Amino acid sequence: MRVQIVKFQRKLFDFQYVLSFDLAKHQTGYSLVNIFNKEIVDCGLIICDSDNPDIWLDMEEKISNVIAGAIERFGIENFFVVKEAMPKQAGRFTTISTLSALAQAHAILSFVCSSLGVFVYDLIGVAAVSEKAVFKQLIGVEKPEKKDIFESVMEMYGIQDSLKSVLNYDITDSVAVVETLISKKWNSDIQQEVKELKKIQKKYKTEKKQMEIENEISRLFDLSI
């Protein structure tokens, strides 16, 4: 099977749920969010032991179990997967070793999604900088930290009593990915694609090609939230 891409192909509300991952080598947070009523219906941590020589096989199995559970519970047509994007380069808090491990985790998620045939927003994910920009606007904090995002998610999303005791920063970060996608990235991606198409449109002189691009632009706008 191939990964089924949602971006530029489907409307957001063709789906009822988004399954989001904040990937890491040792502790990955995930959340399953009902986007119609902003309710976290399931969440948890995928914990992998660094001393396990088969740590990546362990991660693959655990991610598979989470996604298979969503399929069994809600049906493959009713949700799609999104993830926090990898950092573009190493930095103060992200070493080359960490980037390498993250790349492996991202590859595993893509492989599992492809194997199970589920829908995925795209192969890149939602950048952490975009999440911070969205939560800066939402909560009025200049540089939102994990604690700020945690508290904001607790306030904004319906948290079932059974989930309150298990929520932590990794899980609420995965919810922040969903909020950022809906609040900003979905429409921003469409607007950027339209901008690129308009640049291409200027290069063509034939009415037929101009109309083809215009129709594609209209189709993309119809996908906006």
Side-chain angles (χ1 to χ4, degrees), residues 53-193:
D54 296 322
I55 185 172
W56 300 118
L57 290 175
D58 185 38
M59 178 179 285
E60 179 188 336
E61 180 180 4
K62 289 175 177 175
I63 288 177
S64 294
N65 289 340
V66 169
I67 297 177
I71 293 172
E72 182 177 0
R73 188 173 177 184
F74 298 110
I76 202 166
E77 294 288 335
N78 288 322
F79 75 94
F80 67 88
V81 173
V82 68
K83 63 183 181 179
E84 183 174 273
M86 279 191 60
K88 292 184 178 180
Q89 60 186 17
R92 181 181 174 188
F93 300 109
T94 308
T95 64
I96 296 296
S97 175
T98 301
L99 281 179
S100 177
L102 274 175
Q104 185 73 19
H106 280 253
I108 288 170
L109 177 61
S110 294
F111 173 75
V112 171
C113 289
S114 177
S115 298
L116 295 178
V118 295
F119 291 95
V120 174
Y121 177 68
D122 67 5
L123 298 178
I124 297 172
V126 178
V129 67
S130 296
E131 294 168 41
K132 290 182 178 180
V134 164
F135 278 83
K136 173 184 175 181
Q137 184 174 16
L138 287 173
I139 62 181
V141 175
E142 183 63 27
K143 295 182 179 180
E145 302 293 339
K146 287 180 177 291
K147 180 177 181 291
D148 301 310
I149 291 173
F150 177 88
E151 292 175 350
S152 179
V153 167
M154 290 288 287
E155 182 178 346
M156 292 166 57
Y157 282 78
I159 311 295
Q160 297 180 11
D161 289 340
S162 60
L163 300 179
K164 287 180 179 178
S165 61
V166 301
L167 285 180
N168 70 359
Y169 291 166
D170 296 308
I171 293 171
T172 52
D173 277 356
S174 72
V175 181
V177 169
V178 179
E179 181 62 32
T180 302
L181 175 65
I182 295 171
S183 297
K184 182 178 180 181
K185 184 172 173 58
W186 185 282
N187 283 349
S188 292
D189 284 350
I190 290 172
Q191 290 162 5
Q192 184 60 40
E193 182 70 4

Side-chain angles (χ1 to χ4, degrees), residues 6-22:
V6 171
K7 183 177 179 180
F8 305 148
Q9 302 303 318
R10 299 284 296 270
K11 292 183 178 181
L12 174 64
F13 292 109
D14 285 347
F15 305 89
Q16 186 170 358
Y17 303 94
V18 177
L19 177 58
S20 177
F21 291 87
D22 178 25

